[in-house]
Amino acid sequence: MRARVPGKPARATRIVFVDAFLSSNQKVLAGEGADVAIRGVRAHLFIDGAKFRSLKDSLKDMRHSELPDGSSLLELEFGSSVYDSDSGTLAIYFSSLSGLGSDAAWEQKQFFNDAKLALSYARADKPLVERKVAATSSVKWLENVVFRGKKKADIVYQHPEEMLENETARGVSFPELESLSLSLPVELVTGGALSAPQMQAVCYAARSFKSRLPGEPSSAGGFLLGDGTGCGKGRVISALLAHAATRPCGTTPPELQAEVERRRREGRARRCLWVSLSRDLAKDAERDLSDIGAEALGLRLFESIDKAENCDPSSAGNVLFITYAKLRNEKNAQDVVAWLGGHLAEGLIVFDEAHSAKNFVSGKSGASTLQGRMVNYVQTACPMAPVLYASATACTEVNQMAYMPRLGLWGAGRQFVNFTDFCQDVESRGIAGMEEVALKLKASGVATSRSLSHAGSKLEVLHAPIDAHRVASYDRACGFWEHLQSEAILALAEMDQLENDLRAAQMKTEIENSSDANSAKCKKMPRSLFWNLFWSCQLRFFRQFLVSLKVPEVKRRVELCMAEQGQAVVTLWGTGEAQLVEAQDAEDGAPPPSCPEIMLEQFLKKHFPCPPEEYVRSMQMSCEELVTLLGELPEPTMEPSQKVKETLQERAQLHWSLPANSSNALQLESLQRQDAVTWTANFSGATHPEARRAALHAELLSLQLPQHPLDELLDVLGGPAQVAELSGRSHRLVRELGKWQKVSRQSNNVQEQHAFQAGVKRIAIITEAASTGISLHSDRRRSAIGFMPRQRTLIMAELGFSAEKTMQQLGRVHRSNQEFPPRFEIVLSPVPGETRLASTLTSRLKTLGAVTRGDQRGAGSAFFGDQDFGQMLSAFDRRGENRATFDQLAEELQGEPELSEALARISMDDHISFTGEKEEWTVSKLMQRFLGRSMMLPISVQHAIFSRLQSLLARSRDGSEASEIPQEAGEKGPSKQLACRSHDERPKRRLERTPTPLLASAKRSRMEDVPPLTNARLHQDAPPLTTARLHQDAPPLTNARLHQDAPALRPQPYAGRCLARTRQGLQCTRALAVHEGCEGSDFCRLHAREAAKNDGMPILGRIDGPTPE
């Protein structure tokens, strides 16, 4: 027994020793308030600080019982030993747990665990964790499996946690296993290293590996290990590596058998490859190989290609561990293929966390990521090597399955010749087709898709209250984004004018290559690109801000978890390191650097529509003007004084009509004398867009935005000494002696994981970089080294867009061999726009479940879909009707200028068409855009707009239910009646037979009675469309007629809108001004103010005014 860090002793109420031979001989060792503890390598029992006896040497048995008054009794039965001759029973009485504080109750539980651990070491027949034997009827497939030495397993253990399949997948059976020979020792099964579900995956994978793909006799089969997170896929991979490295010669083509045999003698034929996500997972890989005794089977793990190349060629079965990041290098990929043996390689290729290669596009190398291309290259270059794809989230959509050709769903000799045909056929039938793919894979015996039971787990959705000062900070940020949007619109127009003026000046002077090249320097950014960057930055900014709003609630939930003697895991996504690079150490007492502020600074600097930094404008003055300004002519060879610079800057502001606050951007670059009477002053920052950017930057500095939530949480939860940070960043902000400083992280993720699992740090914050592969659950194996596992609480502070990564994050605390089922707490802010994040997540979870589990409810959508934000999603999203819904909403808000202007600011009409959406199983992009952009509105405005939208949808839904027509069976897409039901109300789907062949046409029978649509039939009832017929009822289209009915033809949603137009001819979408002084105006508040200053016309160089008659 290992010695652990001693904690506080448990408090007993009475301790009595009863002699084994004379029961009447009872000795009271301690009374009320006695301290008891078990410490040291030999598990010595201490009573009130005095050593009593070594449990490891003399403990024979123990019994724990509850007494009628609620207290408990622990009886330790001792036998004589070398060190102690007295045998008897030690009775230790404890108070009821319900009457103790959390710390005292925890120490009592820890004492019981230490006693059980000591007993397990003293008696081999008293293991710390009891394993259950699987029923023979549930493992009939094992009867035909023969292990090394022609042995068969007579016993197999159940998995430590219950593993389940969804209802749809349970209706499909694996194919008959028949006879199978495994090159594994039978002790792996009979000793409990592999449970029954793990062994089933090993058997069917081995069956698939020995087969050949139809139409490709030289290509070995593959297998998808799609079990959920925490199911023990690492041991399955290790067992398959051992089998593949030591199995007999397979079905090698005769012409290659001699070469393969020669390579096998040289030790080169059975080298295996293990590709995973990060180097942190290499330790887990070594642990899994050690658990199955890989060293005795000849398997050794290497972590670099150089070591693999230099290994002893006579030792077969070596395993190369490499990350996807290294495999992305083409040279590394070629070296790996050469080390494996190329086209003669027979060792197993494992793509762990295989979803990392999902962005491979078959037949389009330019559209594929380099990572996806290299994964495909390794498979193509080693056709005889079997391939194992291991991932709990293999793909979210069918078009992401292209990296798994060895599953046999497409290719020569199969139903689909290529992946494109396969993908199009599945997508044409929507989510039902995706579910059929998963069921087909199981029926073919090439995939497993089980998951751990959530029995005992609890999920709670919490709505975080927001402090008043955080609400005010959020609203200030919204005001800034509104100002930024309006300034960007004006800056884009000014950049157009600036570019036109430069082009005109160049043409006028007939200079093809201007000396200062200002015309080339002033190339503006395309509008569509700018607005894409604008809305992307807006979404990242407010997504980060939302988490900042929830920090007080997250802190409160963590403190509650600590009070209950648990351990908390807080999940985030971003780290803010991209902004942290530019952060500076704060002064004493100054607020910490703000990552949202730095994000906006970067956007203003890189993307706000402005000329480049090297662009200069020249102002020419005569000598008389210069003398009038400065009092005398400056010396051309000398640097102008500060007073001269300020005077010339004031003159430049008047010359170019720059705003008064542009002085921060305007800088004098040079003052030169051109000839005897002319001087030229060159300025940078001398344009209106640059002046606007400078003003925005000054306004940004006054917002007092919060710091990144990761740094804030780290600080409020106790700092790095109390909190384990598992992230991908190299620096972080910490507060030392009241001063914020940027420091390097001293520990890596593996060290932080060990500190958390050992209970040294009871709080962990994980980000995207640590969301895969690592274990943070209440591991029973920790009991074997003296640590009582604590219950885990996962607090999801930030919702992500990726369904795969979200499921991976949830799997960090819900894994096999856990002592306590975890609790999940999702913290939502009262900001309605956060529905954007929940909507994307829930819709992608549906498609993830359909592809990987055979049921759209199988990957967590049911886990989340029953919650209020899942119901909100289904209530808001009305496929095919969202455009009309927003038009109606704009019409209803015409009488409320504030809401109408707010809706106009997040207009969904720019740059993207929403017609022809083929993914009927995803949330409409129009609705996603509305939810995402609404986050830039003040919280009160968001609530008002969402309330009006909900009432509008309720009225529309009530009016359409009577005319609802159920869809025919086989038609794609869910019925509208089911779209708004909760998960519990949906009818349960049962599959009582093997599914029909993959991708069989479901609509063919309904098309048999439809006559062919020929050209003659198309036009048989239609009179010829001649020019005379086209115009016979239409009066001539004159200019007068064009405008006489214009008000009547105006789209209804824009009634009561501003009549001003931009320089590009676009209609202003703001509502008419109704405030005092603007009654009866034809313009919005902004244009009305400008019209009042310019004789009734809203000009100023950027507005054309009303449409002329």
Side-chain angles (χ1 to χ4, degrees), residues 808-861:
Q808 292 285 354
Q809 268 194 346
L810 296 174
R812 297 315 97 214
V813 297
H814 184 45
R815 307 181 72 78
S816 297
N817 207 35
Q818 61 188 9
E819 182 71 22
F820 303 104
R823 294 185 303 188
F824 299 95
E825 296 179 351
I826 303 175
V827 182
L828 295 179
S829 70
V831 179
E834 193 172 14
T835 312
R836 160 70 167 95
L837 307 177
S839 69
T840 305
L841 177 61
T842 50
S843 62
R844 292 180 180 176
L845 283 171
K846 286 185 178 182
T847 57
L848 173 66
V851 179
T852 61
R853 302 285 186 270
D855 190 333
Q856 59 178 304
R857 303 185 299 270
S861 60

Side-chain angles (χ1 to χ4, degrees), residues 884-898:
T885 300
F886 286 117
D887 289 343
Q888 295 174 27
L889 180 63
E891 182 179 358
E892 284 197 3
L893 297 179
Q894 286 181 6
E896 303 178 54
E898 183 181 8

Side-chain angles (χ1 to χ4, degrees), residues 10-15 28 30-36 67 71-72 92-96 100 108:
R11 188 63 59 88
T13 59
R14 189 164 176 254
I15 304 176
V28 178
E32 183 75 27
D35 291 337
V36 290
L67 301 180
S71 60
S72 59
I92 308 176
Y93 296 84
F94 294 94
S95 301
S96 173
L100 298 177
Q108 190 179 126

Side-chain angles (χ1 to χ4, degrees), residues 53-204:
R53 183 171 291 193
S54 170
L55 304 187
K56 186 175 181 180
D57 299 313
S58 59
L59 185 61
K60 300 303 181 184
D61 203 356
M62 63 175 287
R63 294 177 295 276
H64 181 244
S65 57
E66 296 289 338
L67 301 180
D69 60 351
S71 60
S72 59
L73 169 63
L74 180 65
E75 296 176 285
L76 303 179
E77 184 179 335
F78 292 105
S80 59
S81 68
V82 177
Y83 304 97
D84 300 286
S85 58
D86 293 339
S87 59
T89 302
L90 184 69
I92 308 176
Y93 296 84
F94 294 94
S95 301
S96 173
L97 290 175
S98 60
L100 298 177
S102 59
D103 291 341
W106 173 255
E107 292 302 332
Q108 190 179 126
K109 293 178 182 178
Q110 178 69 63
F111 181 80
F112 293 161
N113 181 79
D114 290 345
K116 290 174 59 179
L117 178 60
L119 181 63
S120 68
Y121 276 91
R123 292 185 55 180
D125 60 335
K126 295 284 187 178
L128 191 64
V129 179
E130 295 286 345
R131 297 290 302 274
K132 297 180 179 179
V133 178
T136 308
S137 58
S138 63
V139 290
K140 290 184 177 180
W141 44 267
L142 196 58
E143 297 176 356
N144 300 323
V145 179
V146 178
F147 293 86
R148 178 182 292 183
K150 297 183 179 180
K151 296 180 180 179
K152 287 193 174 184
D154 55 355
I155 186 175
V156 61
Y157 290 94
Q158 295 181 4
H159 202 66
E161 307 297 326
E162 186 179 8
M163 291 180 64
L164 305 174
E165 287 183 305
N166 60 68
E167 188 177 6
T168 307
R170 285 200 301 271
V172 180
S173 301
F174 280 107
E176 191 71 26
L177 193 58
E178 300 176 349
S179 61
L180 179 67
S181 178
L182 295 178
S183 298
L184 296 173
V186 71
E187 290 76 17
L188 289 181
V189 180
T190 58
L194 293 174
S195 65
Q198 289 172 320
M199 197 61 221
Q200 187 180 34
V202 169
C203 292
Y204 279 96

Side-chain angles (χ1 to χ4, degrees), residues 23 134 157 202 265 287 402 446 505 530 537 543 552 594 603 686 711 719 739 773 778 813 846 848 995 1099:
S23 60
Y157 290 94
V202 169
R265 288 195 301 269
R287 179 202 64 205
V446 295
F530 170 77
C537 182
R543 178 181 172 183
S594 170
F603 176 80
D711 294 311
K739 181 179 179 180
S778 55
V813 297
K846 286 185 178 182
L848 173 66
I1099 51 178

Side-chain angles (χ1 to χ4, degrees), residues 271-275 304-306 308-309 320-323 326-342 345 348-349 351 374 377-379 381-382:
R271 291 174 174 175
C272 301
L273 177 67
W274 190 336
V275 188
S304 72
I305 302 175
D306 295 336
E309 290 174 345
L320 171 63
F321 184 93
I322 189 172
T323 63
K326 279 191 174 181
L327 193 66
R328 281 200 296 265
N329 185 293
E330 188 172 354
K331 175 65 166 56
N332 288 347
Q334 293 173 353
D335 291 343
V336 167
V337 168
W339 180 81
L340 288 172
L348 178 61
I349 298 174
F351 293 113
M374 291 302 102
Y377 164 72
V378 172
Q379 297 180 76
C382 304

